[in-house]
Amino acid sequence: MNDQTHKEKIYTIIFGTTTPAGKYFDITLIACILISMLVLMLDSVQALASEYHYFLRIAEWFFTILFTLEYMLRIYCSPKPWRYVTSFYGFIDLISVLPSYLSLFFSGANYLLMIRLFRVLRVFRVFKLFRYLSEANVLIRSLGMARRKILVFFISVLVLSTVFGSLMYIVEGGQNGFSSIPKSIYWTIVTITTVGYGDITPHTVLGQFIASLAMLTGYSIIAIPTGILTAELSQEIQRERNNKACGICDRYGHDVDAHFCKYCGGKIPD
Amino acid sequence: MNDQTHKEKIYTIIFGTTTPAGKYFDITLIACILISMLVLMLDSVQALASEYHYFLRIAEWFFTILFTLEYMLRIYCSPKPWRYVTSFYGFIDLISVLPSYLSLFFSGANYLLMIRLFRVLRVFRVFKLFRYLSEANVLIRSLGMARRKILVFFISVLVLSTVFGSLMYIVEGGQNGFSSIPKSIYWTIVTITTVGYGDITPHTVLGQFIASLAMLTGYSIIAIPTGILTAELSQEIQRERNNKACGICDRYGHDVDAHFCKYCGGKIPD
Amino acid sequence: MNDQTHKEKIYTIIFGTTTPAGKYFDITLIACILISMLVLMLDSVQALASEYHYFLRIAEWFFTILFTLEYMLRIYCSPKPWRYVTSFYGFIDLISVLPSYLSLFFSGANYLLMIRLFRVLRVFRVFKLFRYLSEANVLIRSLGMARRKILVFFISVLVLSTVFGSLMYIVEGGQNGFSSIPKSIYWTIVTITTVGYGDITPHTVLGQFIASLAMLTGYSIIAIPTGILTAELSQEIQRERNNKACGICDRYGHDVDAHFCKYCGGKIPD
Amino acid sequence: MNDQTHKEKIYTIIFGTTTPAGKYFDITLIACILISMLVLMLDSVQALASEYHYFLRIAEWFFTILFTLEYMLRIYCSPKPWRYVTSFYGFIDLISVLPSYLSLFFSGANYLLMIRLFRVLRVFRVFKLFRYLSEANVLIRSLGMARRKILVFFISVLVLSTVFGSLMYIVEGGQNGFSSIPKSIYWTIVTITTVGYGDITPHTVLGQFIASLAMLTGYSIIAIPTGILTAELSQEIQRERNNKACGICDRYGHDVDAHFCKYCGGKIPD
């Protein structure tokens, strides 16, 4: 019984966000995650790594062991450990420590630790940034409404890329950098999205003509996802604003300036 | 009579999509097309081609002969062969095998086989992805509504490109890469569409000033097709949603959540 | 009197577009303009110019003399010559022949002949492409409505470019390509408009950080002109569609599904 | 008493914009600021600086001393000097002269004088460009309404950049230019924003595949801020237009061309 209470106490601190202790724990955790990512970034910079390698490695292992202990504690104090382990955060928490152990066998694997970034998503829960989540929801819902149109658009882009890529491979050929069809498709995506690295560029007149067509195509179809999303977002935002409910039938969706419910004729409170 | 029934059976398998045999045939066909395109892509990669050339060529001819036989079978079993041959798919099916035979005379022609991509469009019919087609239709109809505005826009872009291109040719000249008016126009399109390869860049101060103007122009007019399309799409999406007709006066255009016709007060079926 | 009729006849042919002769004249004229521009473009291509220089020069002078004669004829047959000379087309017609004569004194001036492009605008009048003009009008009117907002936007872009440009000049300095403030401003415009030639790129860590900020700024403010124009275009398109007039007071601007005039209550014809 | 009137006179000239003297003062001031910035820009151009260095330096110090005197005069004649010093313009006026004095100790500091740009913002007050300010206000209010959505969007972009950057660092590694995680993140921002300098480009097949994904992601999410802003701007513009109130019930929100209030039937003043 005493053990149970002890576990519950730890649970409240680790998983809860309402008690001061729980809040401090979460803030410390997020700070640790961000510092551990900074350590990793600095470790990847050649100039720094050669000088402070020893120190940075110790810091990395310090955080890895810390997060491993935290993960074990979470399993220990969870009333339903399995449910935590198979949850989204449980999964992220696990793969946030694994790469360090993997790096013992495969060098370079430790950079996968950048996945710790996703642990920072807790920040929304900790600071109660629900308003931001609701804004994100409007975006996500609009994207959801538009998903089929956007998929059709993406398939069109891929088909276009394949067609333009194959054409350019035939027209320009290997001596101008278009050394294979996959590489030509890569070039087409670079061109259609208007990124334009310039690592591969057309050199023949016909190639430059086709490239111009590809660019103008990319320039115009950039309008399509914007158009789709704007149309959906407008309605979604409108809907979010008109969320005054009817006083009688309790339904939503009335015009901004409506005074009476359009379903039952009841008065809408101001 | 027996022959007729035999032909009809083949017809049902090859052209139909409702029977299990017809469905399996189509799925196998699409898989073959995709594999044949993959073979072609791999064949274009120098490193792979030099090692597996023999194998890849055999695979290519295997698919070409397979598709040739399929094409003949389609003509054979069609009740109206000529109608199939002159149809969109009939045309695509033919030019999807021709390049292989052409490559016997002209090396490199076989890469035109990438046109097989268009055969994959059958996928929509096979998997009954009509919902996606209807989404594509909204896009296409919006583009149709906006076609004149978009044409006006494109002509403006071409006129602008010619003007900026000629100017840059005069200002920068051949020693800075602007070696001819067509090439300068190519550069202007690269710049206005914000692709910016960097293979040709202005070096004089005046050239950089004109280039800046061209960029800012491109940056602003990118808004025009988006604006046009968004405006059309909004209305098209709205219209698509409001396509429930009134049960009494049979008119359209009601709000999404309306239960009663706004013209005659009749009930709108759910 | 006879001379007057003679002049009138020529006037009908040259300025008119309704008679067959007038139409044929205009079509021939547009063809000549396009060919003369093609000649000029080909002349700018080094490889062609060295071989066909003599022929291309003759062609250029042939068209220049032709257009000079046409210009004189237009002045001659005009009932109000001065009004033609000072009109938009009169001005374009004049500066479309001048560069050739200028090139006798200043080499290279003949490429200014590309200004002939603007003469092609007559094509709208000749082929009665008024529907396209009306579409262009919707665009132009929307741009007009949005002009102040777009000007504010442009001034902001220029201020931002100056600020980022000066910052980068201080941070990166001449050895990394940012050799002067005007050049740094050019780089900033290249970056903010997402063109990104790559002829000048930041090399220091701080420079890359500021460059990232500039990119993200450019990426976001690209939304502003689009948003402005879309908002204006939506209303303009809506207005254009609702152009059924009231049968009694003859006014426009009713809702798409309105049956009665909102100004006077009169019936709107279907 | 006489001194007070003297101070007031100066105050009217320096701070006021309604009297002719005040207007001339402000116009001269803006001209001086613009010229001083031009001097600074020319000084940064190597070729000019080496030749006219002496002259440009004198000009720079002339303006610095002029602006210092002006700043002192503003403090002197202000009825509440401290309020001016701590105001936005007071702060800008101070830091617009400081860099010159700093450059006596730190070479290069004088380029910070570009901050004088912000002094030019007075132009709005001087020329009474309030209409432009009101247009800017619509933009700023829309951005304000959309700020949370845009923040969510920016955080997503940064998260995406970190994820793609770390991935590319692991896949491509230092020998292909991705020499550290911060540099890879810089590359990802260059790619996602479709700037695409091409100073760092992927060379491995897997790297090019991930880069293509990053580009397509950037290409699509460019739609999100546009969608958000367009939706907000549409409503903001609509609202701005419908700001005539009914003469009887004093309510807003009527159609642009409505003559009668839609709530109470009262006349709307023109």
Side-chain angles (χ1 to χ4, degrees):
Chain A
M1 196 68 187
N2 181 40
D3 180 65
Q4 189 60 26
T5 341
H6 184 61
K7 260 170 101 174
E8 264 171 16
K9 240 185 212 159
I10 300 177
Y11 179 81
T12 316
I13 291 171
I14 295 191
F15 282 95
T17 56
T18 44
T19 62
K23 204 158 183 177
Y24 285 131
F25 176 83
D26 277 323
I27 291 170
T28 316
L29 183 64
I30 287 167
C32 283
I33 295 167
L34 290 176
I35 293 167
S36 82
M37 284 175 61
L38 191 70
V39 164
L40 207 65
M41 279 196 191
L42 293 178
D43 187 39
S44 77
V45 180
Q46 215 60 36
L48 293 169
S50 58
E51 210 163 333
Y52 304 102
H53 186 71
Y54 197 67
F55 170 76
L56 291 168
R57 265 299 141 92
I58 286 175
E60 195 189 310
W61 276 104
F62 168 76
F63 286 117
T64 296
I65 288 161
L66 201 77
F67 294 150
T68 311
L69 290 176
E70 181 223 338
Y71 182 66
M72 286 169 174
L73 215 57
R74 276 179 192 270
I75 294 179
Y76 165 72
C77 74
S78 243
K80 292 171 181 169
W82 191 244
R83 217 177 130 188
Y84 162 67
V85 170
T86 55
S87 74
F88 173 71
Y89 280 120
F91 180 71
I92 291 291
D93 290 354
L94 178 63
I95 62 172
S96 289
V97 294
L98 278 189
S100 280
Y101 299 108
L102 277 173
S103 75
L104 294 176
F105 308 102
F106 311 99
S107 92
N110 58 325
Y111 292 118
L112 291 170
L113 290 172
M114 292 303 285
I115 206 94
R116 281 175 187 167
L117 186 64
F118 289 105
R119 298 196 68 188
V120 180
L121 289 177
R122 289 172 205 265
V123 82
F124 282 110
R125 218 190 44 202
V126 179
F127 292 111
K128 310 238 180 307
L129 303 172
F130 292 118
R131 278 213 299 210
Y132 285 85
L133 280 181
S134 111
E135 300 285 339
N137 266 348
V138 174
L139 286 183
I140 288 165
R141 230 173 323 134
S142 301
L143 283 171
M145 300 284 279
R147 72 179 176 287
R148 274 208 290 271
K149 275 187 208 70
I150 283 171
L151 197 69
V152 167
F153 167 73
F154 259 108
I155 291 171
S156 314
V157 168
L158 286 180
V159 168
L160 268 174
S161 297
T162 314
V163 170
F164 272 113
S166 308
L167 252 175
M168 287 302 278
Y169 175 69
I170 297 167
V171 167
E172 288 276 329
Q175 71 274 22
N176 292 329
F178 295 81
S179 56
S180 68
I181 291 183
K183 201 162 197 181
S184 294
I185 291 175
Y186 161 72
W187 171 86
T188 316
I189 293 175
V190 169
T191 299
I192 280 190
T193 56
T194 77
V195 170
Y197 285 133
D199 51 348
I200 312 169
T201 52
H203 288 88
T204 66
V205 172
L206 185 56
Q208 291 177 343
F209 181 73
I210 296 172
S212 301
L213 284 186
M215 282 167 225
L216 288 173
T217 306
Y219 191 58
S220 342
I221 64 179
I222 215 171
I224 296 178
T226 307
I228 295 167
L229 205 72
T230 304
E232 300 287 356
L233 258 173
S234 294
Q235 301 206 351
E236 205 58 45
I237 287 174
Q238 196 101 45
R239 213 168 298 152
E240 201 198 20
R241 290 223 175 111
N242 308 352
N243 56 6
K244 281 190 286 182
C246 165
I248 291 170
C249 73
D250 207 39
R251 277 191 257 180
Y252 291 84
H254 307 291
D255 277 3
V256 175
D257 49 12
H259 290 169
F260 292 96
C261 173
K262 68 175 164 181
Y263 303 110
C264 71
K267 190 99 179 67
I268 299 169
D270 291 323
Chain B
M1 194 69 187
N2 182 38
D3 180 63
Q4 190 59 26
T5 340
H6 184 62
K7 261 170 100 173
E8 265 171 16
K9 240 184 213 159
I10 300 176
Y11 180 81
T12 316
I13 292 170
I14 294 190
F15 283 94
T17 56
T18 44
T19 62
K23 204 158 183 177
Y24 285 132
F25 176 83
D26 276 323
I27 290 169
T28 316
L29 183 63
I30 286 167
C32 283
I33 295 167
L34 289 176
I35 294 168
S36 82
M37 283 175 62
L38 191 71
V39 165
L40 207 66
M41 278 195 190
L42 294 178
D43 187 39
S44 78
V45 180
Q46 216 60 36
L48 292 170
S50 58
E51 209 163 331
Y52 304 102
H53 186 71
Y54 196 67
F55 171 75
L56 291 167
R57 265 299 141 91
I58 286 175
E60 194 189 310
W61 276 104
F62 169 75
F63 285 117
T64 297
I65 289 162
L66 200 77
F67 294 151
T68 311
L69 289 177
E70 181 223 338
Y71 182 65
M72 286 169 175
L73 214 59
R74 277 179 191 269
I75 294 179
Y76 166 73
C77 74
S78 243
K80 292 171 180 169
W82 192 243
R83 218 177 130 188
Y84 161 68
V85 169
T86 55
S87 74
F88 173 70
Y89 279 120
F91 180 70
I92 292 290
D93 290 354
L94 179 62
I95 63 171
S96 289
V97 294
L98 278 189
S100 281
Y101 299 109
L102 277 173
S103 74
L104 294 175
F105 307 104
F106 311 99
S107 91
N110 57 325
Y111 292 117
L112 292 170
L113 291 172
M114 291 304 284
I115 206 96
R116 280 176 188 166
L117 185 64
F118 289 104
R119 298 196 67 189
V120 180
L121 288 177
R122 288 172 206 266
V123 83
F124 282 110
R125 219 190 44 203
V126 178
F127 292 109
K128 310 235 179 309
L129 304 172
F130 293 118
R131 278 213 298 210
Y132 285 85
L133 280 181
S134 111
E135 300 285 340
N137 266 348
V138 174
L139 285 183
I140 289 165
R141 231 174 321 137
S142 301
L143 283 171
M145 300 283 280
R147 72 179 177 287
R148 275 208 291 270
K149 275 187 209 71
I150 284 171
L151 198 69
V152 167
F153 167 73
F154 259 108
I155 292 171
S156 314
V157 168
L158 286 180
V159 168
L160 269 174
S161 298
T162 314
V163 170
F164 273 113
S166 309
L167 252 177
M168 287 301 277
Y169 175 69
I170 297 167
V171 168
E172 288 276 330
Q175 70 275 20
N176 291 329
F178 295 80
S179 57
S180 68
I181 291 182
K183 202 160 196 181
S184 293
I185 292 175
Y186 161 72
W187 171 85
T188 316
I189 293 175
V190 169
T191 299
I192 280 190
T193 56
T194 77
V195 170
Y197 285 132
D199 50 349
I200 312 168
T201 52
H203 287 88
T204 66
V205 172
L206 185 56
Q208 291 177 344
F209 180 74
I210 297 172
S212 300
L213 283 187
M215 280 167 225
L216 288 173
T217 307
Y219 191 58
S220 342
I221 64 178
I222 215 171
I224 296 177
T226 308
I228 296 168
L229 205 72
T230 304
E232 300 287 354
L233 258 174
S234 295
Q235 302 207 349
E236 204 59 45
I237 287 173
Q238 197 102 44
R239 213 169 297 149
E240 200 199 21
R241 290 219 177 117
N242 308 352
N243 59 3
K244 280 189 286 181
C246 165
I248 289 169
C249 73
D250 207 39
R251 279 192 254 181
Y252 292 84
H254 308 291
D255 277 4
V256 175
D257 47 12
H259 290 168
F260 292 96
C261 173
K262 68 174 165 184
Y263 304 109
C264 71
K267 189 99 180 60
I268 299 168
D270 292 323
Chain C
M1 193 68 187
N2 181 38
D3 180 65
Q4 189 60 26
T5 342
H6 183 62
K7 261 169 100 173
E8 265 171 15
K9 240 185 211 157
I10 299 176
Y11 179 80
T12 318
I13 292 170
I14 293 190
F15 283 93
T17 56
T18 45
T19 61
K23 204 160 184 177
Y24 286 132
F25 175 83
D26 276 324
I27 291 170
T28 316
L29 183 64
I30 287 167
C32 283
I33 295 167
L34 290 176
I35 293 168
S36 82
M37 284 175 61
L38 192 69
V39 164
L40 207 65
M41 279 196 191
L42 294 178
D43 187 39
S44 77
V45 180
Q46 216 60 36
L48 292 170
S50 59
E51 209 163 333
Y52 303 104
H53 186 72
Y54 196 68
F55 170 76
L56 291 168
R57 266 297 142 94
I58 288 176
E60 195 189 309
W61 276 104
F62 168 76
F63 285 117
T64 296
I65 289 162
L66 200 77
F67 294 150
T68 312
L69 290 177
E70 182 223 336
Y71 182 65
M72 286 170 173
L73 215 58
R74 276 180 191 268
I75 295 179
Y76 165 73
C77 73
S78 242
K80 291 170 181 169
W82 192 243
R83 218 178 130 189
Y84 161 68
V85 168
T86 55
S87 74
F88 173 71
Y89 280 120
F91 180 70
I92 292 290
D93 290 354
L94 179 62
I95 63 172
S96 290
V97 294
L98 278 189
S100 281
Y101 299 108
L102 277 174
S103 74
L104 293 175
F105 309 102
F106 311 99
S107 93
N110 58 325
Y111 292 117
L112 292 170
L113 290 171
M114 291 304 284
I115 206 95
R116 281 175 188 168
L117 186 65
F118 289 104
R119 299 196 66 190
V120 180
L121 289 176
R122 288 172 205 267
V123 82
F124 282 109
R125 217 189 47 201
V126 179
F127 292 110
K128 311 235 178 309
L129 303 173
F130 293 118
R131 279 213 299 208
Y132 286 85
L133 281 181
S134 111
E135 301 284 341
N137 266 348
V138 174
L139 286 183
I140 289 165
R141 231 175 321 136
S142 301
L143 283 171
M145 300 283 281
R147 72 180 176 288
R148 275 207 291 269
K149 275 187 208 71
I150 284 171
L151 198 68
V152 167
F153 167 73
F154 260 108
I155 292 171
S156 316
V157 168
L158 286 180
V159 168
L160 268 175
S161 298
T162 314
V163 171
F164 273 113
S166 309
L167 252 176
M168 287 302 277
Y169 174 70
I170 297 166
V171 168
E172 289 276 329
Q175 70 276 22
N176 291 330
F178 294 80
S179 56
S180 68
I181 291 183
K183 202 162 197 179
S184 293
I185 292 175
Y186 160 73
W187 172 86
T188 316
I189 293 176
V190 169
T191 299
I192 280 190
T193 57
T194 77
V195 170
Y197 285 134
D199 50 349
I200 312 168
T201 52
H203 287 88
T204 66
V205 172
L206 184 56
Q208 290 177 345
F209 181 73
I210 297 172
S212 299
L213 283 187
M215 281 168 224
L216 288 173
T217 307
Y219 191 58
S220 340
I221 64 179
I222 214 171
I224 296 177
T226 308
I228 296 167
L229 205 72
T230 304
E232 299 288 355
L233 258 174
S234 294
Q235 302 205 350
E236 207 57 47
I237 287 173
Q238 196 101 42
R239 214 168 296 151
E240 200 199 21
R241 290 226 175 109
N242 308 352
N243 58 4
K244 280 190 287 181
C246 164
I248 289 170
C249 72
D250 208 38
R251 278 192 256 180
Y252 292 85
H254 308 293
D255 276 4
V256 176
D257 49 12
H259 290 169
F260 293 95
C261 173
K262 68 175 166 184
Y263 304 109
C264 71
K267 189 98 180 65
I268 299 169
D270 292 322
Chain D
M1 194 69 187
N2 181 40
D3 179 65
Q4 189 61 27
T5 340
H6 183 62
K7 259 170 102 173
E8 263 171 17
K9 239 184 212 158
I10 299 177
Y11 180 79
T12 317
I13 292 171
I14 294 190
F15 283 94
T17 56
T18 43
T19 61
K23 204 159 183 177
Y24 286 132
F25 176 83
D26 276 323
I27 290 170
T28 315
L29 183 64
I30 287 167
C32 283
I33 295 166
L34 290 177
I35 293 167
S36 82
M37 284 175 61
L38 192 70
V39 164
L40 206 66
M41 279 195 190
L42 293 178
D43 187 39
S44 77
V45 179
Q46 215 60 35
L48 293 169
S50 58
E51 210 163 333
Y52 303 103
H53 186 71
Y54 197 67
F55 170 77
L56 291 167
R57 266 298 142 93
I58 287 176
E60 195 188 310
W61 276 103
F62 168 76
F63 285 117
T64 296
I65 289 162
L66 200 77
F67 293 150
T68 311
L69 289 177
E70 181 222 337
Y71 182 66
M72 287 169 174
L73 214 58
R74 277 179 191 269
I75 294 178
Y76 166 73
C77 73
S78 242
K80 292 170 180 168
W82 192 245
R83 218 177 129 189
Y84 161 69
V85 169
T86 54
S87 73
F88 173 72
Y89 280 120
F91 180 70
I92 292 290
D93 290 354
L94 178 62
I95 63 172
S96 289
V97 295
L98 277 190
S100 282
Y101 300 108
L102 277 173
S103 74
L104 294 174
F105 308 102
F106 311 100
S107 93
N110 58 326
Y111 291 117
L112 292 170
L113 290 172
M114 292 304 285
I115 207 95
R116 281 175 187 168
L117 186 64
F118 289 104
R119 299 195 67 189
V120 180
L121 288 176
R122 289 172 205 266
V123 82
F124 282 110
R125 218 189 45 201
V126 179
F127 292 111
K128 310 234 179 309
L129 303 174
F130 293 117
R131 278 213 298 208
Y132 286 85
L133 280 182
S134 111
E135 299 285 339
N137 266 349
V138 173
L139 285 184
I140 289 165
R141 231 175 321 136
S142 301
L143 283 171
M145 300 283 281
R147 73 180 176 287
R148 274 208 292 270
K149 275 186 208 72
I150 284 171
L151 197 70
V152 167
F153 167 73
F154 260 108
I155 292 170
S156 315
V157 168
L158 286 180
V159 168
L160 268 175
S161 298
T162 314
V163 170
F164 273 114
S166 308
L167 252 176
M168 287 302 278
Y169 174 68
I170 297 166
V171 168
E172 289 275 329
Q175 71 275 21
N176 292 328
F178 294 80
S179 56
S180 68
I181 291 183
K183 202 162 197 180
S184 293
I185 291 175
Y186 161 71
W187 171 86
T188 316
I189 293 176
V190 169
T191 300
I192 280 190
T193 56
T194 78
V195 171
Y197 285 133
D199 50 349
I200 312 168
T201 53
H203 287 89
T204 65
V205 172
L206 184 56
Q208 290 176 345
F209 180 73
I210 297 172
S212 300
L213 283 187
M215 282 167 224
L216 288 173
T217 306
Y219 192 58
S220 341
I221 63 179
I222 214 171
I224 295 176
T226 308
I228 296 166
L229 204 72
T230 304
E232 299 288 355
L233 258 174
S234 295
Q235 302 205 350
E236 205 57 46
I237 288 174
Q238 197 100 42
R239 213 169 298 151
E240 200 198 22
R241 289 220 178 114
N242 307 352
N243 59 2
K244 280 189 287 184
C246 165
I248 290 169
C249 73
D250 207 39
R251 277 191 257 180
Y252 291 85
H254 307 292
D255 277 3
V256 175
D257 47 13
H259 290 168
F260 293 95
C261 172
K262 67 175 167 182
Y263 303 108
C264 70
K267 189 98 180 64
I268 298 168
D270 292 322

